[in-house]
Amino acid sequence: MNNVVDKEELNWRLRVFDSLSYPTLIIRPDYTLVSANRKFLELFEEDQERIRNQKCYHFFYKKNTPCRAEDCPVVRVLNTHQGQTVTWRKEGRWEDRVFSPILDDNGEVVYIIESIRDVTRVKMLESELSETKELITRVVQSSASAIVAADRKGRIQLMNRAAKELFGVVNKECWPFDNAEQLYPPGKAKEIMSMLRDETMGGKGKLSGVPATIVSADGEEIPVEMSAAIIYDDDDNESATMAIYNDQRKKREIEKKLKDAQQQLAQSEKMASLGQLAAGVAHEINNPLTGILMYSSMVLEHLETGNPLRKDLECVIEDANRCKEIVKSLLVYSRSTDSRRQIIHINKLVEQSFRLTRDQKIFRNISIHKELDDEMMLINVDTNKLSQVIINLIINAADAMGGRGELIVRTYRNKSAQKVFLEIADTGPGIAEENLNKIFDPFFSTKPKGKSTGLGLSIAYGIVEEHGGRISVKQTGPEGTTFLLELPQYIPAES
Ligand SMILES: Nc1ncnc2c1ncn2[C@@H]1O[C@H](COP(=O)(O)OP(=O)(O)OP(=O)(O)O)[C@@H](O)[C@H]1O
Ligand SMILES: [Mg+2]
C-alpha cells in the first residue's frame, strides 16, 4: 500500500517537475545530473537518457574536473548550503540561473535544483530604461534653464548645472540648502505652492512663466521667470515638485538702460527746445533792458539829491540789473556766449571753485570732505563756466542741508572710457520723486522766490552739454543726494 502511495507521489512530483515553465535540472552533490525537465531538454535539444549520470561540468563545459568555487555556483551552494543566483549572457540572451539546495534532516545538501530563467526582455528594458534615464539626465543637465526638483517634503533631489550656477553653489564647500523653501525669500515658497495648487492659475499643479524672486546661496535676491509643476503619482497624490527658472537680471538691466536712454533723450530734447526759447527771449529782452537801464540812469543823474523820486528810480535800476543777470544766465544756458577753454586738472578746478564760493558763511556748520583722486585727470574746459557749475552744485548741496551736514566732493576717472568724474554728495533730505525730472528745467526752484531764480541747474546742464559731458543725479533719498558730473578726459598728444 505504502509503495503505491510512494509511487503515486513520485509520479505526481515528476509531473510537477516536468511541467515547470522554467528549464530546470536536478544535480547531486557529486555533480551528477539526476534529471532535467521537459523545458530544459527542449532548450538544450537533449534527451533524458543522455543527460542522466553525466557530470554537470562535463555536460556544460566538456571538462573532466569540477569548476572552481569562484566560477561555479554549484560549488558555492555545496559550501554555503545557501541558494545562489547568477546572471549571464549567452548568445545574445540574458539568463538568470537560480541554484537552490535541497537539504536532508541533518541539513546536508542532497540535491541542487538549477533553474534557468530567460531575462533577456527584462535586461533589454532595463538597458532601454537606463539609456532613457541617461538621455533625460543629459538633457536636464545641459539645459540653459535652471531646473530644480524636490520631493514631497521639499528636499532638493535635483539641481542641474544652470541651477547650480544661478543659485551660486558651484564652488561651495558644503551644500547650503536643506529644503526648497530656502530657495525663496521667507514665506514665498508657501505662496508659490498655493498658486501651484490653484486650478485657476494655469491648471492644477502648473505655473507657467510667472515672475518670481529667488535667493542665492550668498543671499542675493535674483529676479527670475519661473515655470513650475507638481508631479502626481498614479493615485493622484503629490509626489514631487519641479521648477524651471530663467534669470531676468540681464533683461532687467537692458530694460533699465533703455528706459534711462529714453529719459535722457527726452530730457535733452526738452532742454534743447527750452534752450532755443530761452535764447530767443533773452535776446528780445536784452535790448529793451539796455534801454531801461540807460534811460533810468540818465534820469537819475538829472535828479537833484533829496528828490523823493531818486529812491524809486534806484529800485528800477536795481531790478533792471537783476533782469540783466538773468538774461546773461539764460544766454549761458542756451550756449549763446563765447567760450574760452583751458586745460586744467579737475582737482584744481574744484579747489578754485571752493575759493570762489562767495557766501562762505553758509559752510560754517558743514564739514567738507574732499576725496580727490590724484590720477592724471586733465580736462579741456571753459574754467569760468565749469566753476559756475561746481559752485551751483555746492551751494545747492549746502541749501539742501540747511547749512548743517556733510558735503563730500569726489573726483575719479575711468581710464579706458577716457572720462573724468566729479561727485558732489550731501546729507540733505533728497529730491522729491515728482521733482526729479524738473530740476534741470529753467526757473524750476523749490526755494523762496526772490532768493533763487531756479536757473542754476539748467545753466549747469547747458554748460556740461557744451563740454560733451553729462550731469545727472546719481542717487537721492532721505539720506542725501549725489550729483554726478561726467567730462571727457583730455589726453595730451604724445610727443
Ligand atoms: N542737492 C540738492 N538736494 C535737494 N534738492 C536739490 C539739490 N540740488 C538741487 N535741488 C533742487 O533742484 C531745484 C533746482 O535747482 P537749481 O540750482 O536749478 O535752482 P535753485 O538752486 O533753486 O536756484 P538758483 O540756483 O537759481 O539759486 C532746487 O530748487 C531744489 O529743489
Ligand atoms: Mg541752485
Side-chain angles (χ1 to χ4, degrees):
M1 190 68 181
N2 239 350
N3 267 348
V4 176
V5 174
D6 284 352
K7 206 169 172 198
E8 252 179 35
E9 183 159 339
L10 192 65
N11 273 339
W12 178 80
R13 284 186 188 175
L14 277 173
R15 273 208 309 280
V16 171
F17 176 59
D18 228 17
S19 61
L20 288 176
S21 52
Y22 298 122
T24 307
L25 188 64
I26 305 176
I27 308 165
R28 274 212 194 92
D30 67 356
Y31 310 111
T32 312
L33 306 185
V34 180
S35 181
N37 74 347
R38 199 161 32 83
K39 283 274 178 194
F40 187 97
L41 296 173
E42 274 170 25
L43 179 66
F44 286 87
E45 294 173 349
E46 284 288 352
D47 67 53
Q48 196 73 265
E49 289 316 311
R50 272 223 317 249
I51 280 186
R52 196 166 288 153
N53 294 327
Q54 274 202 60
K55 296 288 185 190
C56 61
Y57 45 84
H58 185 261
F59 175 73
F60 287 113
Y61 304 110
K62 302 287 173 262
K63 286 184 7 176
N64 294 322
T65 48
C67 310
R68 292 178 310 167
E70 52 266 44
D71 302 327
C72 178
V74 175
V75 180
R76 290 203 297 276
V77 171
L78 289 171
N79 290 345
T80 62
H81 296 193
Q82 305 268 328
Q84 303 280 326
T85 303
V86 289
T87 304
W88 64 51
R89 208 186 161 137
K90 205 178 134 202
E91 293 153 14
R93 293 183 315 116
W94 284 92
E95 284 178 349
D96 261 2
R97 291 200 171 199
V98 182
F99 298 83
S100 318
I102 295 183
L103 305 177
D104 63 12
D105 293 344
N106 300 322
E108 293 301 324
V109 178
V110 281
Y111 294 109
I112 296 166
I113 311 268
E114 173 179 354
S115 104
I116 303 169
R117 289 161 203 194
D118 187 337
V119 289
T120 312
R121 223 178 99 72
V122 176
K123 282 280 170 194
M124 300 280 264
L125 285 174
E126 262 178 19
S127 105
E128 267 174 36
L129 191 67
S130 83
E131 274 171 27
T132 315
K133 256 171 107 176
E134 205 177 302
L135 179 70
I136 292 172
T137 309
R138 259 187 279 140
V139 169
V140 168
Q141 284 302 344
S142 56
S143 163
S145 299
I147 301 175
V148 176
D151 68 11
R152 199 163 43 90
K153 293 195 167 144
R155 288 175 298 217
I156 295 167
Q157 302 294 314
L158 180 148
M159 215 182 216
N160 74 347
R161 255 194 302 273
K164 284 184 181 157
E165 271 167 28
L166 179 66
F167 283 94
V169 295
V170 178
N171 289 323
K172 284 270 176 291
E173 272 178 20
C174 55
W175 187 250
F177 303 114
D178 295 328
N179 197 287
E181 272 189 7
Q182 295 165 318
L183 304 178
Y184 306 93
K188 284 285 165 197
K190 282 210 170 62
E191 267 177 39
I192 291 170
M193 281 314 287
S194 47
M195 266 156 63
L196 263 170
R197 290 181 185 121
D198 188 339
E199 294 195 19
T200 62
M201 299 188 76
K204 187 185 170 203
K206 284 197 197 90
L207 268 184
S208 175
V210 294
T213 304
I214 55 147
V215 182
S216 77
D218 297 324
E220 187 192 353
E221 294 205 346
I222 301 169
V224 292
E225 187 191 77
M226 180 177 95
S227 294
I230 298 179
I231 298 157
Y232 295 95
D233 64 14
D234 293 342
D235 299 324
D236 216 22
N237 297 317
E238 289 178 9
S239 65
T241 48
M242 64 88 69
I244 302 175
Y245 309 96
N246 286 309
D247 192 344
Q248 297 291 294
R249 280 176 295 187
K250 278 229 163 67
K251 196 173 156 208
R252 295 269 170 98
E253 203 180 302
I254 291 169
E255 279 170 358
K256 187 175 177 298
K257 276 196 183 144
L258 197 65
K259 202 169 150 217
D260 284 354
Q262 278 169 344
Q263 266 175 0
Q264 247 182 58
L265 193 66
Q267 177 78 357
S268 47
E269 274 173 2
K270 185 171 85 177
M271 295 316 255
S273 50
L274 281 173
Q276 278 173 0
L277 183 72
V281 172
H283 269 119
E284 290 308 308
I285 290 177
N286 215 14
N287 292 342
L289 258 184
T290 315
I292 292 170
L293 271 171
M294 195 176 80
Y295 289 113
S296 47
S297 303
M298 272 163 53
V299 175
L300 187 67
E301 269 176 30
H302 288 99
L303 287 181
E304 67 281 10
T305 30
N307 189 322
L309 288 178
R310 277 192 77 97
K311 210 160 175 54
D312 296 344
L313 213 50
E314 273 164 12
C315 283
V316 170
I317 294 170
E318 196 187 312
D319 279 354
N321 268 324
R322 195 166 132 72
C323 289
K324 265 240 135 168
E325 279 301 307
I326 293 177
V327 165
K328 218 161 89 192
S329 301
L330 278 177
L331 287 172
V332 174
Y333 162 61
S334 61
R335 303 176 215 164
S336 316
T337 57
D338 295 346
S339 189
R340 262 180 301 273
R341 297 211 178 192
Q342 157 185 356
I343 295 151
I344 186 168
H345 195 293
I346 187 143
N347 293 356
K348 194 168 170 204
L349 190 69
V350 169
E351 299 291 4
Q352 275 181 13
S353 309
F354 265 94
R355 273 197 300 276
L356 284 170
T357 320
R358 274 158 290 160
D359 184 9
Q360 296 289 344
K361 266 191 293 178
I362 193 171
F363 295 107
R364 212 176 296 150
N365 292 316
I366 290 177
S367 62
I368 300 172
H369 299 283
K370 290 187 191 138
E371 297 170 8
L372 308 181
D373 199 331
D374 43 34
E375 291 283 354
M376 222 20 212
M377 295 187 293
L378 294 179
I379 45 175
N380 183 11
V381 294
D382 181 323
T383 50
N384 286 335
K385 288 184 181 176
L386 246 292
S387 270
Q388 202 181 332
V389 172
I390 298 171
I391 291 167
N392 185 57
L393 290 176
I394 297 170
I395 303 231
N396 277 354
D399 282 349
M401 296 188 281
R404 193 175 291 274
E406 212 176 311
L407 181 82
I408 300 154
V409 186
R410 205 172 284 127
T411 57
Y412 54 96
R413 71 166 180 181
N414 179 332
K415 195 173 176 194
S416 56
Q418 301 194 344
K419 280 188 177 161
V420 171
F421 299 90
L422 166 67
E423 275 181 27
I424 294 181
D426 61 57
T427 53
I431 302 168
E433 172 88 45
E434 67 271 21
N435 290 341
L436 256 180
N437 60 353
K438 297 189 203 140
I439 54 169
F440 293 104
D441 293 357
F443 303 110
F444 176 80
S445 176
T446 54
K447 296 171 192 171
K449 287 263 171 314
K451 181 176 184 272
S452 303
T453 57
L455 278 174
L457 282 180
S458 51
I459 292 168
Y461 189 95
I463 295 173
V464 174
E465 280 259 295
E466 191 186 333
H467 285 83
R470 210 164 97 80
I471 180 169
S472 57
V473 176
K474 186 179 173 191
Q475 184 283 122
T476 186
E479 62 296 322
T481 304
T482 306
F483 273 86
L484 176 69
L485 209 71
E486 241 177 87
L487 287 166
Q489 185 181 4
Y490 174 77
I491 312 280
E494 276 179 42
S495 51

